[in-house]
Amino acid sequence: MLMFHTCLSAGATQTLTADLPHLPQGFSIGIWNEQVPGARSMALARDGTVYVGSMETGSVYALRDLNGDGEAETRSVILDGLNGPNGVAILDDDLYIAEINRLLRIRHIAHHQDTLPQPEVLIGDLPGEQHHGARYLRAGPDGFLYMSLGAPCNVCQPSSPLGSILRIDPEGRILGTEARGVRNSMGFDWDPVSGKMFFTDNGRDLLGDDIPREELNRIDRSGDHFGFPWCHAGTIQDPEWKQQPCDAFKPPVWTFPAHTAPLAVHFYRGNMFPASYQHRAFVAQHGSWNRTEPDGYRMVTLEFMQGQPVSEQPFLDGWRDARNSGERGRPVDMLELADGSLLVSDDNRGAIYRIAYHPPLCCSGRP
């Protein structure tokens, strides 16, 4: 298994170069599997299988690390020929798959190791627009599903239910709109302390290199409106949509540099990483596509106090070369394993990485 290390740790060698990702001291990143073209969203079943959606291939993959060596040595395609299956989620041992236009379910996924039943179509009439058509899907702590439906444009007033995050019961019944005025969210998670739902939202293009900033939002009340298309990043009124002021909407709780494209957000809950990472949120910045000087292609962490992010620190960087002439990695989604390590999907390389922590020799008390 290819491993990139940032500090000499027990049983490891120093292999960091300027072209490989940089991580804080004591962390390592290795390739968990690199045979998942267009790897996007991930979900973990109770038997340890990781399911991965790919819009690039129209497939859903199943991966397993059978011997516990930190690398998934088995990979299979469980479904193919789908319409942009970005979103995958596990709820009550059932696998849910969000295509652009449908929500599917495979019952009791852990019971079907060899032959899977045909998926049920729970919702068959989602909007079919391709622009921002990737559906992010998560199972919430309340036992319901949450799914984003991006606006089919750079900036416009989309027809319902586009431009929102929906709340859905396990049988596919849409229970309501959890968030409105959402341009394109590709990641959300629930703060384990406050229970509040946080989601990223990608800002509009074509207003320059530095505006508007990207958003991290918190839902305090079901149905909160976050401003799109009238207001961006809480303070910037859209030049084409001026009918409503920004103070009419809920502002973000944090912003990131424009065009960094924040996707997944994940609150760390495990015990492998140092205690200082407890209750931090990791954010995957997929990277810019039309900025003069590219930005993103990294992961950052946010420190929280009393339910509010108060500071941002770089975590993983170096997925572009020094001349910004090539993309070595574009992080999409994150998934925490039972041992506290963190998987990161990369749709550019078609790989899934595993980030682990090893106490450095210099700090372990040994000579």
Side-chain angles (χ1 to χ4, degrees):
M1 178 174 61
L2 179 63
M3 296 290 290
F4 311 139
H5 295 280
T6 61
C7 180
L8 189 63
S9 55
T13 58
Q14 181 82 13
T15 60
L16 180 67
T17 73
D19 291 336
L20 297 181
H22 303 267
L23 284 161
Q25 187 179 50
F27 286 91
S28 67
I29 181 169
I31 294 178
W32 198 69
N33 190 281
E34 55 181 341
Q35 300 179 24
V36 189
R40 296 281 296 185
S41 296
M42 301 179 289
L44 178 65
R46 62 181 174 88
D47 65 352
T49 303
V50 172
Y51 295 94
V52 188
S54 170
M55 299 189 70
E56 179 180 317
T57 64
S59 305
V60 176
Y61 298 85
L63 299 97
R64 295 197 71 189
D65 176 5
L66 296 174
N67 59 11
D69 66 350
E71 181 177 359
E73 63 274 8
T74 70
R75 188 220 69 162
S76 60
V77 177
I78 65 164
L79 288 172
D80 59 10
L82 301 181
N83 183 16
N86 178 81
V88 289
I90 297 286
L91 179 60
D92 295 333
D93 201 30
D94 297 339
L95 173 65
Y96 293 82
I97 301 151
E99 298 180 83
I100 292 175
N101 60 324
R102 301 191 301 177
L103 177 65
L104 311 178
R105 177 176 66 180
I106 298 177
R107 299 296 307 273
H108 309 303
I109 188 69
H111 299 170
H112 304 286
Q113 293 296 328
D114 299 318
T115 303
L116 289 177
Q118 286 296 312
E120 306 169 67
V121 179
L122 297 185
I123 303 176
D125 57 353
L126 293 172
E129 288 86 347
Q130 297 287 321
H131 193 122
H132 293 158
R135 312 300 182 204
Y136 191 74
L137 184 70
R138 285 290 303 273
D142 55 2
F144 295 100
L145 295 163
Y146 292 80
M147 180 169 59
S148 64
L149 287 87
C153 55
N154 176 33
V155 59
C156 63
Q157 187 172 0
S159 58
S160 179
L162 295 172
S164 70
I165 298 174
L166 300 180
R167 185 169 180 251
I168 302 169
D169 80 0
E171 298 301 318
R173 291 181 288 265
I174 297 175
L175 303 178
T177 302
E178 195 68 11
R180 300 176 295 139
V182 181
R183 181 177 179 269
N184 188 36
S185 176
M186 283 287 101
F188 33 84
D189 196 10
W190 287 261
D191 177 356
V193 175
S194 69
K196 296 291 181 67
M197 180 179 175
F198 287 76
F199 69 91
T200 59
D201 196 11
N202 287 191
R204 67 157 292 176
D205 296 314
L206 307 179
L207 288 184
D209 279 352
D210 300 316
I211 60 171
R213 290 176 65 86
E214 315 277 36
E215 299 178 11
L216 178 70
N217 295 294
R218 183 183 64 223
I219 301 174
D220 291 319
R221 183 177 303 172
S222 182
D224 278 345
H225 198 297
F226 294 87
F228 182 82
W230 297 280
C231 182
H232 310 287
T235 59
I236 298 174
Q237 195 166 30
D238 192 275
E240 302 170 38
W241 296 82
K242 299 181 178 179
Q243 297 94 328
Q244 299 192 52
C246 283
D247 59 11
F249 307 107
K250 197 170 189 306
V253 294
W254 196 260
T255 62
F256 307 98
H259 306 294
T260 52
L263 300 188
V265 55
H266 174 74
F267 285 91
Y268 187 72
R269 299 165 172 83
N271 295 314
M272 175 186 281
F273 294 1
S276 60
Y277 284 87
Q278 282 287 337
H279 195 222
R280 282 200 205 179
F282 288 79
V283 179
Q285 296 182 346
H286 194 232
S288 58
W289 66 272
N290 67 340
R291 195 174 187 275
T292 304
E293 289 292 330
D295 202 358
Y297 311 95
R298 61 177 170 252
M299 292 170 59
V300 300
T301 65
L302 296 174
E303 185 177 359
F304 278 67
M305 291 184 62
Q306 299 179 341
Q308 174 75 26
V310 295
S311 66
E312 177 181 332
Q313 298 84 31
F315 182 73
L316 184 152
D317 208 348
W319 260 330
R320 290 189 65 87
D321 66 24
R323 298 175 300 280
N324 277 331
S325 60
E327 299 150 3
R328 300 183 183 277
R330 302 194 76 182
V332 179
D333 199 17
M334 291 172 283
L335 181 68
E336 192 174 311
L337 297 181
D339 65 359
S341 62
L342 195 63
L343 298 186
V344 182
S345 61
D346 172 4
D347 62 352
N348 182 67
R349 183 172 180 175
I352 297 173
Y353 309 96
R354 177 177 176 267
I355 297 175
Y357 180 76
H358 315 272
L361 293 177
C362 57
C363 309
S364 65
R366 290 178 288 179

